[in-house]
Amino acid sequence: MKSAQSMNFTNHRWAVALIIIWAMPFLNKMYAQEEVSILDIRKGVYKNVNDYRQELRLNRLQAKSGLNKLAQEHAVDMAEGRVEFSHKGFDKRYKAAKNYFKRGITMAENIYFSTYPSSEIAEGSLNGWIESPPHHKALKGKYSYTGIGVAKGTDGSYFVVQLYAE
């Protein structure tokens, strides 16, 4: 026969186990990273970049649908492995972008890769570009238009492309 002390210990363990099982859904919600859509990441990058440019007393960039299309195509190509993470093909994007403007243009491109959760991509891309001198130069360059593309790889990684044009 079990002693009263041993039965209390067993009952106590069961009570703790039941409380943990009951609390699991609440804990999961509390600590889970919220999934952010590709469109929301794109909007976040656009907002963060323009807010940063305003801090530097630079003009806000206007989104241009043709540049968004070109940036998105490159982000998808990298995410799907058709091209490595690089600026490869920038000449083609530059030539294609000329079709969206009535005059000659100057252009730059920033790219970003991350395995962070989707909720951290917009901020992470801006911080990464600020910390990289060539990307920072493009970020604060004399441009008026932008296009942003975001794609998610099959492994969950994210690719961000931002085109700048004047």
Side-chain angles (χ1 to χ4, degrees), residues 77-145:
D77 284 347
M78 289 188 292
E80 294 181 356
R82 284 191 286 276
V83 297
E84 66 272 9
F85 175 68
S86 71
H87 295 284
K88 191 173 186 173
F90 177 74
D91 306 358
K92 290 179 185 175
R93 288 185 290 287
Y94 173 73
K95 287 177 185 170
K98 287 178 165 182
N99 296 323
Y100 302 115
F101 296 89
K102 294 181 181 180
R103 54 183 169 61
I105 62 168
T106 57
M107 224 171 103
E109 175 181 79
N110 280 348
I111 59 175
Y112 176 75
F113 167 82
S114 180
T115 57
Y116 290 136
S118 59
S119 60
E120 298 178 25
I121 301 303
E123 185 178 339
S125 60
L126 176 63
N127 291 336
W129 295 334
I130 290 170
E131 293 172 12
S132 165
H135 294 97
H136 193 230
K137 181 179 178 183
L139 178 65
K140 59 184 189 165
K142 293 184 181 193
Y143 300 107
S144 297
Y145 301 98

Side-chain angles (χ1 to χ4, degrees), residues 11-73:
N11 289 342
H12 179 69
R13 283 193 305 184
W14 275 105
V16 169
L18 287 173
I19 290 170
I20 290 172
I21 291 169
W22 174 81
M24 287 297 280
F26 302 106
L27 293 172
N28 284 340
K29 284 182 184 176
M30 201 166 84
Y31 292 106
Q33 288 286 342
E34 190 129 345
E35 188 69 21
V36 177
S37 74
I38 296 293
L39 181 59
D40 286 339
I41 294 171
R42 181 188 286 180
K43 288 177 183 177
V45 171
Y46 180 74
K47 180 187 180 320
N48 290 351
V49 165
N50 273 327
D51 289 351
Y52 180 71
R53 286 176 61 89
Q54 274 194 308
E55 287 176 20
L56 300 177
R57 301 202 188 297
L58 298 169
N59 63 302
R60 292 181 65 78
L61 300 171
Q62 296 175 19
K64 188 130 179 116
S65 62
L67 294 177
N68 280 339
K69 179 180 179 283
L70 295 171
Q72 186 63 33
E73 288 171 356

